[in-house]
Amino acid sequence: MQNNNTFIKQLLLLVLFLTFVIFISNKLISNRENTLLNDLYNSNSKHLKEKINTLITDKKNTNTAIAVSISKDYALVELLESKRPNKINLNNLSLDLRKNTNYKNVWIEVFDKESKLLYQSWKDKTDVLISSKNYFEIIEEVNVNQYDLSFITTVPVYKNKDYLGFIKVSTKFNSITKLLKQDGIESIILVNQNESKKISKPFTNIFYKDFYVANIDANTDLLEKLDKRFFDSLTSNYRLINNNLITSYDISDGLARLISFTDLKSIDKSSIKSFKLYSYTILSLILILIIIGFLFIIYKVGYKKIDRLNEILKHKIDEIKIQKQKVQTLLDSQSNIIIITNGDEIVEGNKKLLDFYKDCKTLDEFKEKYRCICTTFEEIDNKDYVIDKDYDGKNWAEYILSQENRPLKVAIYNSLNHLEHFSINVNENVDGFLIVTLSNITYEIDNKKNLEKLVEQKTSQLKELNQNLEIKIKKEIELSKKKDSIIFEQNKMASLSELLTNIAHQWRQPLSVITSAASGMKIQKNLNELDDESFNKCCDVILEKSQNLSNTIDVFSDFINNENELTLANLKIQIEETLRHMKLVLKENTIDVLIDIEESINVKIYKNRFKQALLHILDNSIRALNENCKGQRKLILISYKQNILTIKDNAKGTSQESIKHIFEPYFTTYHQSLGKGLGLYVVKEILLKPMNIKIIASNNKFNFEEIEYKGLKLDIEF
């Protein structure tokens, strides 16, 4: 015990030391990682600012180049000299720049030598001449006017040193943000708050808070990631916000600011990952060396104690053997079968176990043959009998243990093949093993069975006395049902006839294909032209169509099967399945069936009975349509609103007198949509009545596709 305490103390000391080493090392690695990340982000931010500065400089230079080129244009000089400003047209130049360069918005203004505005490229003509100061040299600037933030280059126009006027060329910042976007960098140009107030006719028409957004492709959702403090300070250093590296670049001494958003995932951090991998590899090696050194020391210190521990262990084993012999003697003295198990295999068993299983001489033979006593439990039709199965995740022994104070039993065949019954009890000992006790109760069970037989005899006599009375009652009931039975049989024959008609329609095409394939093979065989490929192909077709014939029989068999329970079913699906059985009949008679029912409507019905009812209703409509709508469009409309299923046709309807008797047995009329006498009576009495469904018939006029029709309407109320 003392040695164990010493080892535990040494182990705890090692764990504390390793924890300290790991903590300090992880702290140093983390600090170094943060330093490297900061350097990386500073470097990225610096390179980005340099790139933006280069793009802005290039844009200024290009803007100046365009302005200088225009100022040298001979036609422009001649027009200014002749003072014919209405002849100036630089719109084509703007369009060419937009089409062939990144400069989509180049604005050009022309002023005469009195500094009056003569021409603007974005207007057909200038109604008001705006005065401006003279410019005798080239001036480049970034400025905010009533339209936008722009690069503006002013260039004087001379002819032979004579000052004729000057031009202004303005371009936007959009090309710069587009070039940044091509490198995966989103950017937004914000004009400062005071300058934003000057913009009365904004080109982009985008504002965020008090800032004007100068680039038309700006994603203002990104600005939501920035808090108010950022806008107040607009710091020149980078910021990390929502996995973005935010860099701010000052434009023209605070006139505006370009804010860029770089996704941190796009920044190459491979050098930092390599540093971390190298650092943690070295740390792991150091920890392994420390653990090996500790184990070596422990081994050296504890080696001398191994012999003494072996002696103690041997002594303990001898004590366990003696204790096991005592336990076995105690078990063998019991009159019941007792086994010790882990729930899967037997650990110990007493003499009574081997006395019962006479085919095994030792416990090892029993375990080899049966593995577990549970494999001999017979299945009895009684919930109090336990068998070898899974009880909601528990084995048989755990299940018995969980059933407090419940008398459970098992049944086992003995060596003479007689079934014996045992009450079974399970207890758990301190070591976690289960102690199972089986007490033979076969005698009590047999006596109980004899008593049950006597009760059965007396009950049989009582039933015999009442039999005559029951027979009389049954005869009366049968007489009262005879009428409905006859009608039902007649309806059944009619339904079978309709089903056979539909089956014939479904079979006609597959049988035709099978006949054609077989005849083709026979002809090819007679002409010695039947190769393996043709033979196999024809056989595949015959097998496929034969399977279709079999499936048709299965479908119609399911259709006429009776059912005993009401089922919550989707109304639209039930109607569509019924129509599927009649699709060929409907197609041959050119009848359009339109369904207006929501997908979510469910009703409680006997599915097959309901389908048979629909079959009768639709069959009556088909007959009436064929009689009364020859050469006209034939319609059956099915809809569902406010718990009422409505089925109506355009077969002209029937007389009001016929409506009164339409649901009576054997009533018939040979026009309209009333069938031949049994159909609608069967629908109401045999199929719909057990489902507590009401059905009402009426003549109905309705409009469909701007045409008025008349026909019979059936309202089925659930």
Side-chain angles (χ1 to χ4, degrees):
M1 186 68 180
Q2 185 177 0
N3 293 330
N4 289 338
N5 290 335
T6 302
F7 177 77
I8 291 173
K9 289 179 181 178
Q10 293 171 341
L11 186 61
L12 287 174
L13 183 62
L14 175 65
V15 171
L16 289 173
F17 178 74
L18 293 176
T19 303
F20 176 76
V21 172
I22 293 171
F23 176 79
I24 295 300
S25 301
N26 192 59
K27 191 71 174 176
L28 293 173
I29 294 171
S30 179
N31 289 339
R32 181 58 181 163
E33 180 187 9
N34 290 335
T35 301
L36 292 173
L37 278 173
N38 185 57
D39 293 341
L40 178 64
Y41 293 150
N42 272 322
S43 176
N44 272 271
S45 181
K46 180 180 178 182
H47 289 317
L48 181 57
K49 289 179 180 180
E50 291 174 354
K51 182 174 184 176
I52 293 171
N53 184 63
T54 301
L55 291 173
I56 290 176
T57 301
D58 291 343
K59 186 71 178 270
K60 285 182 178 179
N61 294 336
T62 305
N63 198 56
T64 300
I66 294 172
V68 170
S69 298
I70 295 172
S71 70
K72 302 297 183 181
D73 185 77
Y74 175 80
L76 175 65
V77 172
E78 289 296 318
L79 289 171
L80 281 173
E81 186 179 37
S82 62
K83 295 188 177 184
R84 290 185 294 171
N86 58 317
K87 299 295 183 178
I88 299 174
N89 186 359
L90 299 176
N91 188 45
N92 290 334
L93 176 61
S94 296
L95 293 176
D96 287 340
L97 290 172
R98 177 177 297 181
K99 182 177 180 181
N100 300 308
T101 70
N102 289 327
Y103 294 84
K104 306 302 180 186
N105 294 284
V106 179
W107 299 21
I108 304 170
E109 297 174 286
V110 180
F111 297 81
D112 64 11
K113 61 183 178 181
E114 283 81 28
S115 300
K116 291 184 178 181
L117 177 64
L118 303 179
Y119 172 79
Q120 289 176 316
S121 62
W122 60 92
K123 292 185 178 180
D124 293 334
K125 63 179 181 177
T126 302
D127 298 324
V128 180
L129 297 180
I130 303 171
S131 297
S132 177
K133 66 178 181 178
N134 285 320
Y135 290 86
F136 301 103
E137 60 183 6
I138 297 174
I139 296 176
E140 297 175 338
E141 59 182 348
V142 177
N143 200 359
V144 176
N145 52 37
Q146 62 177 332
Y147 299 104
D148 204 356
L149 171 71
S150 306
F151 292 96
I152 301 175
T153 302
T154 306
V155 179
V157 180
Y158 290 93
K159 183 178 181 181
N160 298 326
K161 297 183 180 182
D162 291 331
Y163 178 73
L164 301 178
F166 61 91
I167 65 170
K168 284 186 178 181
V169 175
S170 304
T171 57
K172 312 300 180 187
F173 278 76
N174 289 320
S175 61
I176 294 175
T177 58
K178 287 181 180 178
L179 289 172
L180 291 174
K181 195 167 188 178
Q182 289 175 3
D183 293 335
I185 300 170
E186 292 282 349
S187 55
I188 298 175
I189 300 174
L190 297 178
V191 178
N192 72 34
Q193 293 164 306
N194 292 330
E195 295 293 328
S196 294
K197 296 176 182 177
K198 298 179 180 179
I199 302 173
S200 58
K201 299 178 181 179
F203 174 74
T204 67
N205 203 29
I206 303 173
F207 285 85
Y208 182 79
K209 297 184 178 179
D210 295 329
F211 299 89
Y212 171 71
V213 181
N215 53 316
I216 199 165
D217 60 345
N219 182 0
T220 54
D221 291 340
L222 294 172
L223 293 174
E224 298 296 338
K225 298 180 179 180
L226 307 179
D227 55 21
K228 186 178 184 303
R229 290 176 298 173
F230 183 89
F231 289 98
D232 291 340
S233 62
L234 284 177
T235 177
S236 60
N237 297 324
Y238 75 86
R239 293 274 296 274
L240 297 178
I241 301 176
N242 293 340
N243 295 320
N244 281 280
L245 176 67
I246 314 258
T247 303
S248 178
Y249 179 86
D250 186 24
I251 300 175
S252 190
D253 297 326
L255 186 69
R257 189 166 290 275
L258 189 150
I259 303 173
S260 64
F261 298 79
T262 306
D263 192 339
L264 294 181
K265 294 179 181 178
S266 65
I267 299 175
D268 183 13
K269 304 184 186 71
S270 58
S271 60
I272 298 174
K273 291 180 181 178
S274 299
F275 161 76
K276 288 182 67 177
L277 178 62
Y278 174 79
S279 300
Y280 282 114
T281 302
I282 296 298
L283 176 61
S284 300
L285 291 173
I286 293 172
L287 294 176
I288 291 171
L289 290 174
I290 293 172
I291 294 171
I292 291 173
F294 172 80
L295 294 176
F296 179 77
I297 294 170
I298 294 298
Y299 173 78
K300 282 293 186 181
V301 173
Y303 181 78
K304 296 178 181 179
K305 301 176 182 178
I306 293 176
D307 290 338
R308 185 167 176 270
L309 291 174
N310 284 335
E311 291 179 1
I312 295 172
L313 179 61
K314 183 178 180 182
H315 180 69
K316 292 293 183 183
I317 291 173
D318 292 337
E319 288 181 353
I320 292 173
K321 287 181 179 179
I322 294 171
Q323 185 66 27
K324 185 177 180 180
Q325 290 175 355
K326 291 180 180 179
V327 172
Q328 188 63 50
T329 302
L330 179 62
L331 292 175
D332 290 341
S333 65
Q334 301 299 311
S335 59
N336 297 321
I337 296 176
I338 298 177
I339 60 173
I340 300 174
T341 178
N342 58 10
D344 185 40
E345 294 181 345
I346 290 179
V347 178
E348 292 291 344
N350 67 349
K351 187 173 179 298
K352 283 291 182 181
L353 175 68
L354 299 177
D355 290 342
F356 185 82
Y357 294 92
K358 296 184 181 300
D359 54 343
C360 301
K361 295 181 180 181
T362 65
L363 184 62
D364 289 336
E365 287 185 17
F366 178 86
K367 289 194 288 186
E368 184 177 351
K369 184 172 183 178
Y370 297 107
R371 181 183 62 80
C372 175
I373 193 172
C374 59
T375 59
T376 65
F377 294 167
E378 294 295 324
E379 188 169 349
I380 303 296
D381 188 16
N382 189 316
K383 63 181 179 179
D384 290 332
Y385 278 78
V386 179
I387 59 174
D388 182 19
K389 72 170 188 177
D390 180 80
Y391 291 90
D392 296 329
K394 299 177 181 178
N395 61 35
W396 64 276
E398 293 169 338
Y399 170 70
I400 296 171
L401 188 63
S402 67
Q403 301 297 305
E404 297 180 1
N405 302 322
R406 180 182 173 187
L408 297 174
K409 307 178 187 68
V410 295
I412 308 172
Y413 280 101
N414 61 19
S415 58
L416 299 177
N417 204 29
H418 293 157
L419 188 64
E420 297 196 28
H421 301 265
F422 296 85
S423 65
I424 187 167
N425 186 43
V426 176
N427 294 293
E428 187 174 13
N429 68 4
V430 292
D431 295 324
F433 288 103
L434 303 176
I435 302 173
V436 183
T437 304
L438 291 94
S439 302
N440 199 316
I441 56 172
T442 305
Y443 178 77
E444 292 87 341
I445 294 293
D446 290 341
N447 284 341
K448 183 179 178 181
K449 289 182 178 178
N450 292 333
L451 180 60
E452 289 174 350
K453 287 182 180 179
L454 181 61
V455 172
E456 286 179 0
Q457 288 178 355
K458 296 300 182 182
T459 303
S460 177
Q461 292 175 3
L462 180 61
K463 287 182 179 179
E464 189 175 350
L465 292 174
N466 293 325
Q467 187 174 10
N468 292 334
L469 178 61
E470 291 178 356
I471 291 172
K472 290 180 181 179
I473 293 173
K474 286 181 180 179
K475 286 183 179 180
E476 293 298 325
I477 292 173
E478 288 175 0
L479 288 174
S480 66
K481 291 182 177 179
K482 186 175 181 180
K483 174 185 173 182
D484 286 344
S485 177
I486 293 171
I487 293 173
F488 180 76
E489 288 300 323
Q490 291 175 342
N491 168 70
K492 185 175 180 181
M493 294 303 295
S495 297
L496 287 174
S497 175
E498 292 169 0
L499 285 175
L500 288 173
T501 299
N502 282 296
I503 291 172
H505 282 290
Q506 297 284 354
W507 274 29
R508 187 173 293 124
Q509 193 270 342
L511 284 174
S512 176
V513 173
I514 291 171
T515 302
S516 298
S519 299
M521 281 198 299
K522 187 174 181 181
I523 292 170
Q524 287 181 315
K525 181 66 177 176
N526 292 335
L527 296 175
N528 292 324
E529 294 180 356
L530 183 62
D531 53 23
D532 290 341
E533 182 181 356
S534 298
F535 176 75
N536 291 330
K537 185 175 180 181
C538 289
C539 288
D540 289 341
V541 170
I542 291 172
L543 289 173
E544 179 188 355
K545 297 305 177 181
S546 298
Q547 184 63 43
N548 289 344
L549 297 177
S550 176
N551 291 340
T552 301
I553 291 297
D554 292 339
V555 168
F556 282 99
S557 296
D558 292 338
F559 186 76
I560 62 173
N561 284 337
N562 288 326
E563 56 209 323
N564 298 320
E565 295 183 1
L566 288 169
T567 305
L568 190 64
N570 185 279
L571 181 60
K572 189 172 184 179
I573 290 176
Q574 301 306 307
I575 294 172
E576 288 175 345
E577 287 179 354
T578 304
L579 291 172
R580 197 176 298 124
H581 300 313
M582 307 180 70
K583 63 181 180 180
L584 292 178
V585 174
L586 294 168
K587 183 177 181 181
E588 289 179 357
N589 291 283
T590 63
I591 297 174
D592 294 329
V593 180
L594 304 175
I595 302 175
D596 181 17
I597 299 176
E598 294 182 3
E599 301 284 347
S600 59
I601 300 299
N602 294 314
V603 292
K604 206 166 187 178
I605 56 174
Y606 294 104
K607 288 184 180 180
N608 289 336
R609 291 189 180 190
F610 183 74
K611 290 178 183 177
Q612 291 176 31
L614 287 176
L615 187 65
H616 281 290
I617 293 170
L618 295 172
D619 182 64
N620 283 340
S621 290
I622 291 170
R623 291 173 181 169
L625 288 167
N626 286 336
E627 288 181 12
N628 301 320
C629 296
K630 295 178 181 179
Q632 302 176 20
R633 186 175 183 182
K634 303 171 186 177
L635 294 172
I636 298 177
L637 306 181
I638 304 175
S639 61
Y640 181 89
K641 290 182 180 178
Q642 298 179 346
N643 295 330
I644 296 176
L645 176 65
T646 300
I647 303 174
K648 57 188 178 184
D649 56 40
N650 63 328
K652 306 297 190 290
T654 187
S655 66
Q656 288 300 117
E657 185 64 25
S658 297
I659 291 290
K660 296 178 182 178
H661 305 286
I662 194 170
F663 295 112
E664 295 178 3
Y666 300 109
F667 174 80
T668 182
T669 176
Y670 291 97
H671 65 284
Q672 315 301 333
S673 57
L674 304 180
K676 294 184 178 179
L678 287 178
L680 294 181
Y681 171 74
V682 171
V683 167
K684 182 177 181 181
E685 296 296 324
I686 306 301
L687 300 177
L688 297 183
K689 191 173 182 180
M691 290 180 269
N692 195 26
I693 295 174
K694 297 179 181 179
I695 181 168
I696 300 172
S698 62
N699 286 317
N700 177 60
K701 290 183 179 180
F702 62 93
N703 290 319
F704 183 77
E705 295 182 352
E706 300 182 356
I707 299 176
E708 185 177 81
Y709 296 100
K710 180 181 179 182
L712 186 71
K713 181 178 76 167
L714 295 178
D715 289 328
I716 301 172
E717 182 178 352
F718 291 90

